[in-house]
Amino acid sequence: MAQENGHQDRLFLGFDFSTQQIKVIAVTDDFEVVYDGHVQFDVDLPEFKTNGGVHIHSDHVTINTPTRMWVKAFDLLLSRMKASGFPFHKVVALSGAGQQHGSVYWKKDAKDQLANLSPERDMFDQLKDCFSVEDSPVWMDASTADQCLKLEKAVGGPQVLASITGSRSYVRFTGNQIMKICEKNREAYDNTERISLVSSFAASLFIGDYAPIDHSDATGMNLLDIWTREWSQRCLEVCGPNLAEKLGPSVHSAEPV
């Protein structure tokens, strides 16, 4: 009976870092919702001047989001939970999701800062200088048509690329976005220690370390060999030097980190 009562006290958190907001839900073992909250970027963080959570540039194909806004939204969401008296001590597990094709570029030595966060200060203040690319390309971005053609040509055509990665080259896919940054802003690329997807970026904030990219999200990058579940060397070589090191490991989608 004691064990049963203990289970009734357990809580599970689920987070979603989506385009327009960050959402959180807390449930019990019986799937009873005990907390439901969100931070809407346009409304709650107007200082970043987003529209629908993004910045749409004058060419109408370059669309990105201030990376630091996600960190500030995360701070705000947790502070609201704390102010409500949310019982964090009852949380036994958490999981999350993020917009699949958004990418985050951690600056060299950012890992040390991430690993030594102080609970006395906001994450925003501690991580604001940790990104080599200030504005993260997101799934709406369509500015990489040239890079898509280059990747397909390098591996032998769209069908070959689809046979390796599961998809022909798409403008929103992360490999092409990385190639564009490498070509247009080489200094930022060289100063990047780790590249995260939004999902692994969010997980990194929780664990105080670079979280690996899961296989499910990695299939939307034009970089993962879907047969071996390893990064494809043929694709990596086209998109940027030392890219495997910057991406880190990939793991099964259900792997605890």
Side-chain angles (χ1 to χ4, degrees):
M1 189 67 178
Q3 185 180 12
E4 245 179 48
N5 290 336
H7 278 189
Q8 288 174 356
D9 288 336
R10 303 194 312 178
L11 294 179
F12 303 83
L13 285 182
F15 288 85
D16 178 29
F17 280 58
S18 61
T19 310
Q20 300 179 7
Q21 60 187 335
I22 294 179
K23 302 183 286 289
V24 63
I25 190 169
V27 299
T28 66
D29 277 281
D30 297 323
F31 303 106
E32 177 190 358
V33 176
V34 296
Y35 188 89
D36 186 1
H38 72 276
V39 170
Q40 190 169 353
F41 303 139
D42 295 0
V43 175
D44 295 312
L45 299 171
E47 64 268 31
F48 291 98
K49 300 178 180 177
T50 55
N51 182 10
V54 300
H55 289 153
I56 302 175
H57 292 244
S58 58
D59 62 5
H60 301 293
V61 292
T62 303
I63 301 176
N64 49 37
T65 292
T67 309
R68 293 184 298 168
M69 182 182 72
W70 288 330
V71 181
K72 194 163 189 178
F74 185 54
D75 272 332
L76 179 56
L77 187 65
L78 292 178
S79 66
R80 286 176 175 176
M81 294 176 73
K82 182 178 179 181
S84 76
F86 182 81
F88 286 100
H89 63 284
K90 294 184 178 181
V91 175
V92 295
L94 59 87
S95 187
Q99 49 168 300
Q100 186 176 10
H101 305 290
S103 49
V104 173
Y105 301 79
W106 296 93
K107 189 184 292 184
K108 286 183 178 176
D109 300 324
K111 182 178 180 179
D112 293 337
Q113 184 65 39
L114 193 57
N116 292 284
L117 293 171
S118 167
E120 307 303 322
R121 297 168 55 207
D122 287 343
M123 278 194 184
F124 177 78
D125 292 331
Q126 298 178 76
L127 297 177
K128 62 183 179 181
D129 297 320
C130 286
F131 306 106
S132 55
V133 176
E134 292 293 323
D135 297 309
S136 290
V138 295
W139 65 272
M140 299 167 67
D141 188 279
S143 65
T144 60
D146 291 344
Q147 286 75 26
C148 288
L149 292 174
K150 186 178 295 186
L151 178 57
E152 288 183 345
K153 183 178 179 180
V155 300
Q159 182 57 59
V160 176
L161 184 63
S163 297
I164 298 170
T165 70
S167 304
R168 64 170 301 166
S169 200
Y170 285 103
V171 289
R172 64 185 179 272
F173 278 22
T174 321
N176 307 300
Q177 297 289 344
I178 292 169
M179 191 195 311
K180 178 189 170 186
I181 289 172
C182 183
E183 292 176 349
K184 306 289 186 182
N185 192 353
R186 184 58 184 266
E187 183 179 357
Y189 180 85
D190 289 341
N191 196 33
T192 297
E193 181 171 75
R194 178 61 64 91
I195 300 171
S196 296
L197 298 183
V198 176
S199 53
S200 60
F201 159 73
S204 300
L205 298 179
F206 282 109
I207 68 175
D209 195 2
Y210 295 142
I213 295 172
D214 83 353
H215 291 153
S216 176
D217 281 354
T219 59
M221 299 175 72
N222 278 145
L223 293 176
L224 189 79
D225 185 320
I226 60 172
W227 304 102
T228 65
R229 299 191 182 186
E230 301 288 343
W231 301 120
S232 165
Q233 274 307 125
R234 295 172 69 183
C235 298
L236 295 180
E237 289 169 2
V238 186
C239 294
N242 305 313
L243 185 49
E245 182 180 334
K246 295 179 188 295
L247 291 173
S250 63
V251 297
H252 191 280
S253 301
E255 178 76 18
V257 299

